[in-house]
Every structure is written in structure tokens, then in C-alpha cells.
Amino acid sequence: MSSSTPAPLPAPGGASYRIAMVCLGNICRSPTAQVVLSAQLADAGLGDRVEVTSAGTGDWHVGDPMDRRAAAELAGSGYDPTAHRARQFDDGWFDHDLVLVMDAQNLQNVAALGGSPGQVRMFRSFDPDGGPESEVPDPWHGGPEGFTEVLAMVERTCRVLVAELRHLLD
Ligand code: 4NP
């Protein structure tokens, strides 16, 4: 399956473009997306133009490092997951240019707090193998293959995001 061209990114509101990745616990999916996008942006020479953060809609893991399975998956592919500490999303996060959510429940929870349709989007709306409603499945209750699948999805989606950001910011 392939998606249509993603909708254009919102214009930058300030000197650097600010992106928040959001999932439920902020220990698996959204920090994986944060780490991967940050690394790809650095490789593309855009590391000082774009700021990437992440948060969870839930508060259970606030202050915790990444889930050790998600961290191991990232480390196995050469990324550094160690700096992450979980944070909770609230309406103050709408100061970001773009809020990218991992699943439909995250979208509902975030939209209930505010934001605008162009600002709050499904992360996989940028996935060449996904579409506007595709989700990053929650790997937390499953086996190791779920974390491998999440990383592959995140890496290919972030490659499109980097290209879109280069187009927007260059
Ligand atoms: P995440 O995964 O939303 O990708 O960070 C989860 C982590 C923790 C829980 C659920 C999902 N939890 O229920 O504690």
C-alpha cells in the first residue's frame, strides 16, 4: 500500500521548527520517533533548525527512562536512547509547530486539549507505506518483534519528514 502525498507542513512559528511526538506512556513509541528524527536531522544538516521533543498523554511513567526493550532496539541500530526522561503532554505543548501522534487514541486525547487540525496529525501520515489514519501500534504489551516493527516504521516515516522539513526550511 502506498499513501498519497502528505499534506504540507505548517509554517514555522519561530526561529526553530518545533515538533512534539506524542504516544500514551512516552517510554516506547514517541521517544523512539524523537531519537530517530533527531539523528536523521543531524545527518541532514538540519539539527540546529528543528527541535524534536516527546510526551505521553498518560502520567504513569513521568521521569522514567525509555522502556528497556525500546532502548535496546534503538541501541542495536546505533542510536543513543539514554537521554530520555518521560514527560506528560498538556495544552502548553500546543506552542509546537507540529504535534505528531502515534495512534487514534492519542489523537483523541490530544485534540480534547486543543490544537488545530494542521498542527496535530498522525505521525504515519508521512509514512510511504501508510496513510492519514495509519497508527504506530503500541508494542508495550507484546513481544520483541513489535519493537522491531515500530523502529522500521519510524525510520522510513522520519525519512519523509526530513525531506518535507528540508523543503519547508531551505
Ligand atoms: P508508549 O507505550 O505509549 O509507546 O510509550 C506504552 C507504555 C506504557 C503504557 C502503555 C503504552 N502503560 O500502560 O503504562
Side-chain angles (χ1 to χ4, degrees):
M1 179 180 56
S2 83
S3 67
S4 52
T5 307
L9 294 171
S16 65
Y17 201 78
R18 302 183 69 217
I19 300 176
M21 304 289 189
V22 178
C23 62
L24 178 58
N26 193 219
I27 55 172
C28 301
R29 292 166 293 172
S30 63
T32 294
Q34 177 185 358
V35 165
V36 168
L37 183 59
S38 298
Q40 290 188 8
L41 286 166
D43 287 348
L46 290 170
D48 57 353
R49 308 280 311 278
V50 185
E51 189 185 326
V52 190
T53 53
S54 69
T57 58
D59 67 357
W60 312 285
H61 297 285
V62 168
D64 290 351
M66 283 185 70
D67 177 283
R68 66 182 70 242
R69 298 162 297 175
E73 190 69 36
L74 279 170
S77 288
Y79 300 97
D80 179 5
T82 59
H84 181 71
R85 295 296 177 272
R87 301 164 71 189
Q88 186 177 20
F89 188 89
D90 63 27
D91 60 6
W93 287 70
F94 293 122
D95 64 357
H96 287 71
D97 297 294
L98 194 57
V99 177
L100 295 178
V101 300
M102 300 294 138
D103 65 31
Q105 185 66 56
N106 307 149
L107 183 61
Q108 193 177 321
N109 292 338
V110 166
L113 296 173
S116 58
Q119 179 186 28
V120 181
R121 291 177 50 177
M122 295 287 270
F123 173 76
R124 288 190 67 206
S125 63
F126 296 94
D127 184 350
D129 295 341
E133 295 175 10
S134 299
E135 301 185 316
V136 181
D138 187 345
W140 198 61
H141 295 284
E145 67 286 350
F147 290 86
T148 305
E149 182 192 19
V150 166
L151 181 57
M153 256 175 207
V154 164
E155 285 185 313
R156 70 173 184 253
T157 300
C158 285
R159 280 192 281 275
V160 176
L161 262 171
V162 169
E164 295 283 323
L165 286 162
R166 178 183 283 124
H167 181 68
L168 180 72
L169 300 175
D170 270 2

